[in-house]
């Protein structure tokens, strides 16, 4: 409806909700919602009070429309970007604020704190924030400037004015503006995604086919079910229409153009007179009352121009969509309905919050009463036992701790605890390891790491052996210059084994230490979950953490040293019974090698077998193998001489000698690997894992005795903790009173609404 007499409008009560709710009930309702909005940031259940979010392109007239809805001017209006932070205006109708709006700026860091501030200072603050962000790399911020406002012209609304959307030109020259456009669009989408918010979508166009702002809004609200569509700057559009039919289509766009469940069923049309309020020569209006009257007069003129273009009078339904006052009344009634519908839910939420704050207050009171030496010692001993119980539980296996928070996949474990990688940098594919994709912790993770170690090291092959290595290993003895290929094989074998297996020993220690250290935060989580954690005693907990970490590191170092000592002994002296199990095994190995030696040619001569001795100095040396014993002895002696010639007197490396050395090296390497695997796994289980079970309790008990021997006040922060708990208790008492007050307010409002 259009009010022709501004004074009459004022007498009719500027709060549209008062007609349906009653002035007193409406006042209490919006006062309770404003207080709830300030306090809800601390609640466990998030409360989103209904609000109107204004969205539009740059220069569509967003800020001007918001000012017209409020009844006074507060922000920059004009070309370019004038809003770089969303401005949340919590408006409340107050007939006692007749001269000027009563404004309070809410603190950015503490929502409960607000500072009374004149309107001029509010304007200065907003301008300063816009200028600050204009020189900031981000250009925009999603943190709202929150202002509580009471005024005789204010509707009971919460309005959020957002930065204007930007449509930059294409091309590389506009990259900066394109980046800003994306930032603004993301900010706007974030603000309008709350389902409790009503979206005020502004379109500055005379053709509804051009959906510049709706394009963004419909990404979040595709059906426009919570969107109010507003065509701004109506006074500039009316002269553009040449025919009445064009005006008809504009006022009632076809359903095919505005498909969806639009709030209000059809768009609203508004005009805001240009000009600023002030006392300087550039100001058009000398007061906000003059501005308010100009807005009402603009509505009357728009209706008259439309009726002149149409050649008929506007219907009551059509007039209800023209002007700022009609839009304000519609929004107030819409929000009032949302407010009323949310009251029962808020009463339930406040009941839950009241119980939660009461429980926290009771727990803090109990904690304060337990801050004496005797009770602290009792709690420390109980913590000690509970901590050890949790550690044992994690090693034995449990599903109490959530795997998504504390578990590690094999890939995570390799990144955080190191991988098993040899000199060739080969890493075992995840698919070859059981449970590689599972998020494990505790004993299960320890077992998987050890299994990967066995699989990786067990699959290691002896590194390649070059002829140069064999010859270099054949040095000069201290009493003769002959060659000793068996010694060369031992030298090469132990060297290859040491170089191959020593890195794996360090990698295993680092990996298992990582897994053990992870037990600490998981145990703390389980203690907190069961209410057995000593919260607030940071110094004491730090000493326990340090003691556990030092124990784990020193135990791993000692265990690794034992394994290193074993590896050194295994790679220092070759014991053939170790690598070939017994002397018969060694003989069998050498016999099998000789039987497969294809370098010794044989010739059948009649009923005898003639054998050419390998690598003999005489290429025509033939050994005749017959059944006569004398001949056999001769053959044996000739073979011995030939063997000495090959392995003692001749330094020219023959193929058979090379194969023999390589075979011996592989046999030595394999024997060391088997011993290394069994010994290392056994030692880490005995000297790293088991001490956590049988030695850690005693160490932590000693740490407790040491703690109790020190100044308990410094260890347990008794004085500081009493002070901090006292402050926390005071805050909870204030919060409890606030929740109680809100609870009673909404309960009374709910009873009044249901009366």
């Amino acid at each position: 409806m259009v009010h022709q007499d501004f004074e009459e409008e004022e007498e009719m009560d500027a709060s549209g909700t008062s007609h349906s709710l009653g002035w007193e009930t409406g006042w209490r309702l919006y006062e309770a919602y404003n207080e709830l909005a300030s306090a809800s940031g601390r609640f466990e259940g998030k409360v989103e009070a209904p609000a109107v979010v204004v969205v539009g392109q740059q220069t569509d007239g967003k800020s001007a429309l918001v000012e017209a809805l409020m009844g006074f001017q507060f922000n920059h209006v004009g070309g370019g970007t004038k809003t770089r932070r969303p401005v949340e205006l919590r408006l409340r109708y107050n007939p006692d604020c007749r001269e000027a709006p009563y404004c309070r700026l809410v603190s950015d860091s503490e929502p409960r704190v607000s500072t009374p501030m004149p309107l001029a200072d509010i304007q200065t603050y907003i301008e300063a924030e816009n200028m600050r962000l204009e020189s900031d790399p981000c250009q925009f911020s999603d943190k709202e400037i929150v202002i509580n406002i009471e005024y005789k012209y204010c509707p009971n609304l919460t309005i959020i004015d957002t930065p204007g959307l930007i449509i930059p030109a294409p091309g590389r020259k506009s990259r900066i503006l394109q980046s800003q456009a994306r930032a603004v669009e993301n900010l706007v989408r974030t603000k309008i995604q709350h389902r409790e918010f009503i979206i005020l979508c502004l379109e500055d166009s005379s053709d509804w086919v051009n959906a510049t702002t709706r394009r963004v809004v419909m990404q979040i609200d595709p059906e426009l079910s919570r969107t109010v569509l507003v065509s701004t700057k109506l006074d500039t559009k009316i002269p553009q229409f040449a025919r009445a039919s064009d005006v008809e289509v504009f006022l009632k766009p076809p359903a095919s153009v505005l498909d969806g469940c639009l709030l209000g069923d059809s768009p609203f049309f508004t005009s805001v007179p240009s000009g600023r309020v002030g006392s300087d020569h550039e100001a058009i209006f000398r007061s906000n009352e003059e501005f308010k009257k100009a807005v009402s007069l603009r509505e009357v003129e728009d209706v008259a121009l439309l009726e002149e273009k149409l050649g008929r009078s506007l219907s009551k339904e059509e007039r209800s969509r023209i002007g700022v006052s009609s839009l304000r009344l519609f929004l107030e009634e819409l929000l009032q309905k949302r407010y009323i519908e949310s009251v029962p839910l808020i009463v339930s939420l406040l009941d839950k919050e009241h119980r939660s704050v009461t429980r926290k207050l009771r727990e803090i009171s109990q904690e304060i009463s337990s801050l004496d030496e005797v009770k602290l010692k009792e709690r420390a001993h109980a913590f000690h036992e509970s901590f050890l119980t949790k550690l044992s539980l994690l090693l034995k296996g449990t599903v109490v701790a959530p795997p998504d928070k504390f578990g590690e996949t094999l890939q995570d474990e390799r990144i955080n605890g190191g991988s098993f990688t040899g000199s060739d940098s080969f890493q075992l594919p995840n698919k070859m390891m059981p449970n590689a994709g599972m998020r494990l912790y505790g004993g299960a993770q320890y077992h998987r790491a050890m299994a990967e170690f066995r699989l990786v090291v067990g699959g290691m092959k002896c590194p390649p052996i070059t002829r140069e290595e064999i010859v270099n290993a054949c040095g000069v003895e201290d009493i003769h210059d002959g060659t000793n290929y068996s010694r060369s094989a031992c030298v090469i074998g132990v060297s290859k084994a040491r170089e191959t297996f020593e890195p794996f020993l360090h990698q295993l220690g680092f990996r298992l230490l990582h897994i053990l250290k992870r037990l600490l935060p998981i145990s703390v989580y389980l203690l907190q979950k069961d209410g057995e954690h000593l919260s607030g005693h940071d110094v004491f907990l730090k000493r326990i953490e340090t003691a556990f970490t030092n124990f784990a590191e020193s135990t791993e170092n000692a265990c690794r040293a034992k394994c290193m000592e074993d590896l050194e002994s295994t790679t220092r002296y070759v014991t053939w019974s170790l690598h070939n199990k017994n002397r018969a095994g060694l003989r069998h190995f050498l016999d099998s090698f000789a039987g497969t030696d294809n370098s010794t040619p044989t010739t059948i001569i009649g009923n005898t077998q003639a054998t050419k001795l390998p690598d003999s100095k005489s290429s025509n040396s033939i050994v005749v193998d017959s059944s006569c014993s004398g001949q056999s002895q001769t053959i044996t002696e000739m073979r011995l001489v030939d063997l000495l010639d090959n392995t003692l007197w001749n330094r020219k490396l023959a193929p058979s000698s090379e194969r023999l050395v390589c075979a011996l090296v592989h046999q030595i390497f394999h024997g060391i690997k088997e011993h290394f695997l069994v010994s290392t796994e056994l030692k880490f289980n005995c000297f790293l894992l088991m001490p956590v079970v049988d030695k850690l309790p005693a160490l932590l008990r000693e740490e407790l005795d040491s703690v109790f021997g020190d100044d308990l006040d410094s260890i347990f922060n008794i004085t500081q903790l009493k002070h901090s708990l006292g402050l926390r208790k005071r805050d909870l008492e204030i919060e409890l009173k606030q929740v109680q007050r809100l609870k009673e307010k909404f309960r009374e409002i709910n009873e009044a609404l249901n009366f």
Side-chain angles (χ1 to χ4, degrees), residues 66 110 163 245 279 283 300 307 389 435 450 463 489 510 712 746 748:
V66 171
E110 180 49 64
S245 59
S279 57
V300 175
E307 289 180 340
T389 301
N435 305 326
M450 192 63 77
F510 192 80
L712 289 183
F746 276 96
E748 291 173 2

Side-chain angles (χ1 to χ4, degrees), residues 80 124 144 152 173 177 183 207 227 243 270 272 274 297 302 375 439 491 533 555 572 584 600 610 654 692 726 730:
T124 302
E144 295 106 339
K152 67 176 180 178
K173 292 183 179 180
L177 197 59
D207 188 350
T227 299
R243 296 175 297 181
T270 62
V272 178
S274 59
L297 181 61
D302 286 345
K375 291 184 177 180
R439 292 169 291 192
V491 170
H533 190 248
T555 304
R572 183 177 178 83
T600 306
V692 177
R730 186 189 65 183

Side-chain angles (χ1 to χ4, degrees), residues 32 84 313 397 534:
R84 294 186 178 273
S313 298
L534 284 174

